[in-house]
Structure formats: structure tokens, C-alpha cells
Amino acid sequence: MVTASHKTHQVPTPRVLIVGNYCHDVLIQNDTVVGESLGGASSFIASVLDGMSIPCSLVAKVGHDFRYQVNHIPILVPASKTTVFHAYFDSGVHENGNQDRVLKRVCLCDPISPTDLPDARFDFGMAVGVGGEILPQTLERMIEICDVVLVDIQALIRDFDAVDGTVKLVDLRETGFRSLLPRIGVLKVSSEEAVFMDVEEVRKWCCVVVTKGEDGCKVCWKDGEMEISPFLANQEDPTGAGDSFLGGFVTGLMQGLAVPDAALLGNFFGSLTVEQIGLPKFDSRLLQRVKDEVQRRKTQCLHYEGNYDELMFLKPEGHEQFHSSLGAAKLLTQHSIQESKDCSGQPKLAVNPVNDEAMQTADGKP
Ligand SMILES: Nc1ncnc2c1ncn2[C@@H]1O[C@H](COP(=O)(O)OP(=O)(O)OP(=O)(O)O)[C@@H](O)[C@H]1O
Ligand SMILES: O[C@H]1[C@H](O)[C@@H](O)[C@H](O)[C@@H](O)[C@H]1O
């Protein structure tokens, strides 16, 4: 029986919908496995949103062999295996000098169909597939149930070699998603992916955010464009930087920040992610500092007041100060972590190897 007292303990209604399969990531260097981690853009994004206390719903599929414990329970497909990516970091071995890694999809879980999505409304939807699991009709359904949809182009333009699963990119114009672009809010592309689309054409329909690794990002919309400064980082593994960028970006939008400030938060979480191998663990003191800075920024300039249909593009006054405050929060936390680690003799960076103790099937059973 539901009593009145339950109301005070209700979990806040999720306002962000994340759609994309979880996967197992295997990082390989010189034929040696250097790390294994939970992967999939949805896992990186959820980690940022959970850390920043933004309620979200997540739709991901996994197979019977899924081996991580996660906050957001995926849909278990017993007859399937979990999607697996092998990431090769042998620079120079492959003929794609402009890529930071060669990715192979070596196992594939089921696609996500419109009927897998919740029957509810959301402020923001995030179409963030990694293995081709988001279908045009799934994106269309997301557009119907979310006020603003953010899309990672990697969900739309990836093709996989029939023999060894090597990820190849196809031109956005050749996909079944092109006609949906005027109905989405934001398309996130990396500089490598940007050559597989016509940025000048697409920016007339939706906001295009081009992420540029250590150089930060560029936000393009129909009437203008703007460079957003990066944060310094000691890169260990680039995996998931773009995903965490999206997590920080949507956190900023959810908090009512203007697009340039939200993109700064995206750069911030991207920079934290490259400093760790695999799925990052965010320090709780740092997260609290970031929340405080976002609150401060919010009180300086609140733009949306609950209406997310209109994104605000102009760079608000105090943007550079917001950048410095976030950078200072990162430095301060790094110093205090370093001091405590110097005493305990712990290694510098947290690696995310396969966590045997945490291994569970998707329904939580060991
Ligand atoms: N070496 C770095 N130093 C500082 N910030 C970085 C670095 N690499 C990435 N970032 C931040 O993360 C964001 C996303 O990175 P990137 O442009 O590499 O995206 P991506 O290629 O989609 O990433 P991935 O596919 O590896 O998830 C950048 O816009 C930047 O803000
Ligand atoms: O976990 C990673 C991550 O989500 C990357 O953004 C994606 O490019 C890879 O395919 C995936 O294995």
C-alpha cells in the first residue's frame, strides 16, 4: 500500500533519457591487453550525470555475459552476447594516421527499437549508440518524447567491416538519419568525424558541436560559431572523452546554463576522462566543487527557466571566470588527491581492470 510518507522519499523524475548499449571495452597495445572496462557512451554519460546528481533514465541492451555492476539496469537479452569493442592503440601500425585508435566491434548485442523506450516525456534525450544499435525509427521516437535531442554522430555513421568488425565511417548523407536532422537539437561530432558530414549545411538545421581533443570544442549554429577553451589534462586514454563531454554538456543545459557555459562543462568532463583508463571515477570532493561552481554560475545567469526548446547561444558575461573557477577546482582536488596518495603510496591513476568482485549479470545476480 502506498502511504503519504512515501512521497517524501520519491526518487526525482528523470529528465534526461540516455539511449545506447553498454559494451565491454578491451584496450590493446602492442598485442597486450592493457585494460578492460565497462564501455558504451551511455555508461560514460550516466557516470557524469550520476556524479552531478542529475536524474536520468537509461535504455541499453546487454547479453547473458554482461559482467559489470551498474546503477542503471540494462535490458538483458539472454540469447545474445554483450557488444564488445577492441581498441588498438598501436600508433603507426594502421593506415589511419589521424585516428587516436583503431576500433573493432567484435561482438554485437541487439538494436534498441522504439518499443524499448519508456512511455514518458523527457527534457533531454541522448542518442548515443556505439555499435549501430540506434535505428532511424528509434531516433524518431526519441524526438517525439523528448523536448531536445542530442545526438552523437558516432551513433549514425558507423559501419563495421564484415570480416573483422573494424569501425569505418560513412557520410551522414548516405544514412537513413539525414531527414531527421532538422528535428534534433544538437549534433556532436569529433574533428575526425566532421569530414563525414557537411557542417555548413547541418548547422542551419541544428547546433553542431565539433570536439577537438586537447583544443576544446567549437559550437556552430545557424547564425554563428564560437570556440570553447579546453582544460589542461595528462592524457592516459582518450576513450570516452566525447561521451563525458556530452554528459557535462547536458548537465549544463539541465541546470539552465547557456550553450557556451554548458560546452565548457563538457570540455571539463572530457578532460577528466582522458586522465584515466576506461570509465573514469570522479573524485567526490571535485564533484562537490563543480556543483558549487555550477550553482554560482546559475545564479549569475539563468536562461531557460524550465523551457528547454530554445537553446541560448550567446556567451554570457563571466564565461572566462567560470572557466578559471572550474580549472582551479580541478587543480585543487588533484593536489589534495596527490598529497593523500603520496602518504598511502597508491598509484597515480585509477585503472579500471575487470572487476571480478563486481561481476554480476545484468539483472544483478552474481
Ligand atoms: N588531451 C586532452 N586534453 C584536454 N581535454 C581533452 C583532451 N582530449 C579530449 N579532451 C576534451 O574532451 C572533449 C572530447 O574529446 P574528443 O574531441 O577527443 O572527442 P571524441 O573523439 O568524440 O572522443 P572519444 O571518441 O575518444 O570518446 C574535447 O572537446 C575536450 O574538451
Ligand atoms: O566505450 C567506448 C566509448 O563509448 C567510445 O566513445 C566509443 O567510440 C567506443 O566504441 C566504445 O567502445
Side-chain angles (χ1 to χ4, degrees):
M1 193 178 69
V2 178
T3 63
S5 65
H6 280 93
K7 285 191 175 162
T8 52
H9 300 295
Q10 264 175 0
V11 178
T13 313
R15 296 169 61 193
V16 180
L17 173 67
I18 307 170
V19 181
N21 285 346
Y22 287 137
C23 62
H24 292 165
D25 277 346
V26 182
L27 314 183
I28 300 164
Q29 196 155 31
N30 303 323
D31 292 329
T32 306
V33 173
V34 293
E36 294 193 43
S37 171
L38 170 65
S42 53
S43 66
F44 285 87
I45 294 169
S47 159
V48 174
L49 295 190
D50 291 347
M52 292 297 288
S53 309
I54 303 286
C56 58
S57 262
L58 188 149
V59 179
K61 287 188 178 174
V62 297
H64 57 82
D65 58 344
F66 185 62
R67 55 185 179 186
Y68 292 97
Q69 190 174 22
V70 285
N71 286 345
H72 302 275
I73 303 298
I75 300 168
L76 175 64
V77 186
S80 173
K81 282 187 147 191
T82 302
T83 297
V84 178
F85 277 96
H86 286 181
Y88 294 84
F89 292 90
D90 312 333
S91 55
V93 173
H94 303 276
E95 288 168 7
N96 64 339
N98 63 337
Q99 281 187 28
D100 49 20
R101 63 197 191 272
V102 170
L103 272 181
K104 293 187 183 190
R105 186 191 70 184
V106 297
C107 259
L108 173 64
C109 195
D110 286 7
I112 298 171
S113 67
T115 52
D116 294 318
L117 303 181
D119 194 10
R121 278 212 69 80
F122 297 88
D123 295 327
F124 290 98
M126 310 190 74
V128 289
V130 287
E133 69 272 28
I134 296 192
L135 313 170
Q137 56 270 35
T138 311
L139 179 56
E140 185 156 22
R141 179 70 191 142
M142 289 182 71
I143 292 168
E144 283 162 13
I145 63 174
C146 303
D147 289 348
V148 178
V149 175
L150 294 86
V151 180
D152 189 331
I153 198 171
Q154 78 182 359
L156 315 184
I157 62 167
R158 280 190 170 177
D159 196 15
F160 305 90
D161 183 88
V163 178
D164 69 357
T166 300
V167 175
K168 298 177 289 186
L169 303 180
V170 297
D171 198 286
L172 183 58
R173 283 165 288 208
E174 292 162 21
T175 69
F177 295 100
R178 189 174 182 268
S179 63
L180 293 172
L181 297 176
R183 297 170 63 197
I184 69 168
V186 178
L187 182 66
K188 181 253 165 213
V189 303
S190 68
S191 329
E192 288 150 14
E193 293 160 336
V195 297
F196 292 88
M197 64 176 283
D198 184 344
V199 176
E200 291 310 311
E201 180 186 46
V202 177
R203 66 189 281 183
K204 292 181 198 141
W205 302 324
C206 65
C207 168
V208 178
V209 180
V210 183
T211 59
K212 306 193 302 179
E214 64 181 1
D215 295 325
C217 70
K218 182 160 94 174
V219 180
C220 308
W221 67 103
K222 81 173 170 339
D223 309 314
E225 61 185 52
M226 190 180 292
E227 295 284 340
I228 306 295
S229 306
F231 292 85
L232 276 178
N234 257 332
Q235 180 168 311
E236 290 275 323
D237 172 15
T239 311
D243 308 332
S244 293
F245 171 91
L246 273 174
F249 186 63
V250 81
T251 296
L253 296 181
M254 276 292 303
Q255 298 286 356
L257 301 185
V259 171
D261 285 349
L264 201 55
L265 210 52
N267 281 351
F268 181 78
F269 278 100
S271 78
L272 291 180
T273 297
V274 298
E275 293 184 325
Q276 300 186 37
I277 296 177
L279 195 65
K281 293 186 176 76
F282 301 120
D283 181 84
S284 56
R285 288 162 293 182
L286 175 60
L287 288 172
Q288 191 50 55
R289 284 187 174 132
V290 176
K291 284 181 193 170
D292 293 345
E293 289 304 334
V294 170
Q295 281 309 316
R296 218 187 318 274
R297 189 71 183 134
K298 242 174 102 168
T299 54
Q300 282 171 0
C301 38
L302 180 65
H303 294 288
Y304 297 114
E305 290 167 350
N307 172 19
Y308 299 100
D309 290 341
E310 282 291 315
L311 296 176
M312 160 81 189
F313 288 104
L314 291 184
K315 199 181 267 187
E317 216 174 288
H319 176 85
E320 281 72 23
Q321 178 57 42
F322 186 38
H323 182 270
S324 317
S325 310
L326 289 173
K330 186 173 170 184
L331 265 182
L332 265 173
T333 320
Q334 276 168 341
H335 283 149
S336 51
I337 294 172
Q338 195 54 54
E339 273 167 22
S340 54
K341 283 187 176 164
D342 284 348
C343 303
S344 67
Q346 294 271 317
K348 195 176 106 208
L349 288 165
V351 180
N352 265 320
V354 178
N355 184 352
D356 286 325
E357 282 166 26
M359 272 193 200
Q360 289 193 338
T361 53
D363 58 0
K365 296 192 187 101

